[in-house]
Amino acid sequence: MRIGIIGAGAAGLAAAFDLSAAGHKVVVYESAPFIGGQASTIPVGGSQLERGYHHLFTNDKVILDLMADLDIAESMKWYPSRVGTYTSGKVYKTTTALDLLRFRAIPFLDRIKLGLFALRIGRIKEWRDLEDQTADYWLRERLGGMAYEKVWAPLLQGKFGDFYDQIGMPWFWSKIQTRFASRQGIRGREMLGYPDGSFDTIFDKLRSVIESRGGEIHISVPVTKVEVVDGMATALITKSSTGEQIREEFDTVLSTVPSFSFPDLVELPDDYKKRLTDVHYLAAVVVVLELSQQLTDFYWMNIADPDVPFLGLIEHTNMLPKDWYGGRSILYLTNYLDRTDPMYKMSQDELLDIYLPHLKKFNPKFDRSWIKKVHYNALSAAQPIIGTNYSNAIADHRTPIKKLYLANTTQIYPEDRGTNYSIKMGRKLADIILKDAQQNWRTWK
Ligand SMILES: Cc1cc2nc3c(=O)[nH]c(=O)nc-3n(C[C@H](O)[C@H](O)[C@H](O)COP(=O)(O)OP(=O)(O)OC[C@H]3O[C@@H](n4cnc5c(N)ncnc54)[C@H](O)[C@@H]3O)c2cc1C
């Protein structure tokens, strides 16, 4: 089979890896001038660094299995993380369960409630029982008080903005499960994974193996149309760097583009299209600062304070060695925003003017002269908003067009999106495509 794949992110490349292993010719088209999608990197101080902070949890098994298949398992390293929470004008250490007991921003009884409550959610095995409730409602009803108002509510509001009260409870459940899995006991810190050489180590190896099997990966080549004849996908139209339209025939097509842009590529029946367009996405705006000095002691800082104009502060070099990045401290300032939010349209300098005065809250000595270089990245399809009873609303991977498949982050559920789950989905799609080809080929032809 000749299989056309749209998108060279984690899902597209994982599918291409398995389909090429099964002896098929894969051709991957990527509109960006690089592979890796949302987990792609930029050069910083002699190393590669993700455009948006990335790490893995210990239960991210599928990506670890893929690394073993690629013979690069030994490049995954595990590091203890230090987590802080900024609330009521102060930074609190919230790395371990014992730290929570010392979390003086809320009364002692609420701290106990907060810890026990997380344990309670961690023990829930059946997320389907939670599907008809929003996280906001469930947490307000069952936890409530200062533990909710001072901790979880500001985090939900910061992450999802105006959509915070629409998020289905399975999203929250899966976050707690993941974080428990990465902790080592009640005293234990969270252990997070990061590959030597960045996430590029995985993507570069995928590329070289796919190419060694005769597969092709074309960057800076957007797909503009999926050609459909008699209800069946037959070809892809791409745009070359000179603006020329090129048509390539395929036996099967897998698209990994976001739900909002898939209907631009192909005419779809209304009910399927509605499933796609009903899911709203938040964009991520990430500013990366190369600093001459360390800002805080923490790798991950939750911001539970609406007066701070960013959602998170991730100091990458508090988990990974500074000397990888020319001795600089690497600090991400991140926000999830609606694409209509004026902040999404702001330039790097406009954002810095708003953000920088707040850095003194985390270190009073901070000075603008510490900033040696700034990188700005905006990702339009960063976080799908997944509401209640979503299992009834997910778009099928098999689209209504024969031999046309879709795999994007809106189809990951109940887990939150992540590289592990996009790889799992890409490999699942390869399996579906191979089985469908075996079963249906004669009737389709
Ligand atoms: C700020 C941020 C932080 C994150 N942190 C983590 C983390 O710590 N750990 C983790 O595991 N995950 C993290 N993630 C999530 C993770 O990066 C994504 O879930 C995963 O990379 C998505 O892979 P994908 O292949 O499904 O989609 P994408 O990476 O979005 O790939 C889709 C690809 O399709 C391409 N494309 C779109 N339209 C076309 C077209 N018409 N023609 C050709 N190509 C096209 C896009 O350019 C893109 O490369 C984070 C994401 C963000 C935004």
Side-chain angles (χ1 to χ4, degrees):
M1 276 196 290
R2 270 177 68 76
I3 303 164
I5 298 180
I6 314 174
L13 291 178
F17 176 72
D18 281 355
L19 290 166
S20 61
H24 299 287
K25 167 84 182 180
V26 295
V27 183
V28 185
Y29 296 105
E30 169 55 57
S31 53
F34 45 79
I35 62 170
Q38 294 177 50
S40 58
T41 63
I42 48 172
V44 173
S47 295
Q48 292 302 119
L49 176 81
E50 290 66 31
R51 287 185 161 74
Y53 46 93
H54 270 71
H55 55 246
L56 293 174
F57 296 102
T58 51
N59 65 345
D60 282 336
K61 298 278 184 242
V62 182
I63 192 165
L64 300 176
D65 289 348
L66 177 72
M67 290 179 75
D69 293 347
L70 291 167
D71 233 4
I72 52 168
E74 77 292 344
S75 62
M76 179 59 70
K77 300 282 158 47
W78 296 93
Y79 302 87
S81 89
R82 265 176 76 84
V83 181
T85 299
Y86 179 83
T87 182
S88 314
K90 225 181 135 195
V91 172
Y92 295 86
K93 185 169 168 245
T94 46
T95 308
T96 65
L98 288 180
D99 293 331
L100 273 188
L101 285 178
R102 297 184 205 116
F103 183 54
R104 292 183 200 283
I106 59 175
F108 187 69
L109 272 182
D110 285 292
R111 288 178 232 163
I112 306 260
K113 255 173 90 183
L114 191 65
L116 291 177
F117 194 73
L119 282 175
R120 177 176 161 196
I121 296 180
R123 279 200 214 99
I124 296 176
K125 292 288 160 252
E126 194 38 87
W127 57 267
R128 278 172 217 278
D129 296 343
L130 308 170
E131 255 215 311
D132 59 347
Q133 316 257 338
T134 64
D136 176 59
Y137 179 79
W138 207 90
L139 296 170
R140 209 175 275 286
E141 285 290 300
R142 290 173 175 76
L143 176 63
M146 293 284 269
Y148 182 60
E149 297 304 337
K150 277 271 180 193
V151 181
W152 291 122
L155 290 177
L156 271 174
Q157 285 158 3
K159 170 119 190 172
F160 295 107
D162 291 345
F163 298 93
Y164 83 95
D165 55 357
Q166 294 175 31
I167 305 306
M169 184 58 194
W171 177 85
F172 188 83
W173 170 86
S174 78
K175 279 280 169 205
I176 296 283
Q177 299 288 329
T178 310
R179 299 216 94 112
F180 266 128
S182 281
R183 272 182 206 285
Q184 299 179 328
I186 188 153
R187 285 168 174 279
R189 282 197 193 177
E190 188 172 54
M191 297 297 286
L192 298 178
Y194 190 80
D196 289 341
S198 83
F199 276 64
D200 267 9
T201 302
I202 306 169
F203 295 121
D204 287 345
K205 190 68 194 278
L206 278 168
R207 179 185 0 216
S208 74
V209 175
I210 292 164
E211 288 176 345
S212 73
R213 294 170 178 161
E216 295 170 25
I217 299 172
H218 302 281
I219 56 168
S220 303
V221 180
V223 171
T224 54
K225 272 279 166 267
V226 178
E227 191 182 272
V228 177
V229 176
D230 297 333
M232 198 182 292
T234 51
L236 291 178
I237 315 295
T238 61
K239 201 161 113 193
S240 75
S241 51
T242 55
E244 195 192 346
Q245 303 265 0
I246 299 171
R247 181 179 175 278
E248 280 284 334
E249 291 191 359
F250 290 102
D251 298 304
T252 293
V253 170
L254 168 61
S255 170
T256 68
V257 308
S259 288
F260 57 79
S261 58
F262 190 49
D264 297 339
L265 302 184
V266 62
E267 187 101 12
L268 294 160
D270 285 347
D271 53 344
Y272 189 81
K273 190 171 161 183
K274 187 170 180 321
R275 283 177 186 258
L276 301 179
T277 51
D278 272 357
V279 182
H280 193 84
Y281 282 85
L282 290 180
V285 171
V286 186
V287 175
V288 191
L289 303 182
E290 291 185 36
L291 300 177
S292 57
Q293 306 188 44
Q294 186 184 26
L295 186 80
T296 75
D297 288 340
F298 296 96
Y299 166 66
W300 187 276
M301 180 80 69
N302 294 311
I303 314 274
D305 182 334
D307 292 337
V308 178
F310 41 85
L311 159 73
L313 199 149
I314 296 108
E315 203 160 347
H316 184 78
T317 39
N318 284 342
M319 190 167 88
L320 297 148
K322 258 184 176 184
D323 52 10
W324 289 359
Y325 310 99
R328 301 229 167 119
S329 283
I330 304 296
L331 180 73
Y332 290 98
L333 302 172
T334 185
N335 252 331
Y336 286 97
L337 299 168
D338 195 83
R339 276 171 289 152
T340 57
D341 192 311
M343 272 180 109
Y344 182 59
K345 308 248 154 47
M346 281 183 189
S347 68
Q348 172 183 300
D349 288 344
E350 285 171 317
L351 278 177
L352 284 182
D353 284 343
I354 296 176
Y355 286 178
L356 294 185
H358 294 269
L359 292 189
K360 279 192 183 290
K361 293 179 174 166
F362 304 92
N363 183 341
K365 291 194 189 127
F366 170 75
D367 188 87
R368 219 176 163 129
S369 66
W370 292 11
I371 303 175
K372 298 301 163 201
K373 207 164 178 186
V374 182
H375 310 265
Y376 167 93
N377 299 297
L379 300 113
S380 64
Q383 178 71 54
I385 302 284
I386 303 300
T388 52
N389 295 317
Y390 187 61
S391 53
N392 302 323
I394 300 184
D396 201 326
H397 292 303
R398 292 183 179 93
T399 75
I401 313 285
K402 286 181 192 141
K403 299 188 182 178
L404 176 61
Y405 298 81
L406 178 69
N408 69 31
T409 54
T410 68
Q411 293 161 301
I412 294 167
Y413 184 70
E415 299 87 2
D416 191 18
R417 91 297 184 252
T419 49
N420 181 67
Y421 301 103
S422 284
I423 286 170
K424 185 175 178 187
M425 182 169 57
R427 300 195 92 170
K428 176 176 157 190
L429 261 292
D431 198 45
I432 292 177
I433 289 170
L434 294 174
K435 286 196 176 119
D436 282 0
Q438 255 178 359
Q439 285 168 12
N440 302 329
W441 221 236
R442 274 187 206 91
T443 48
W444 277 356
K445 281 270 182 191

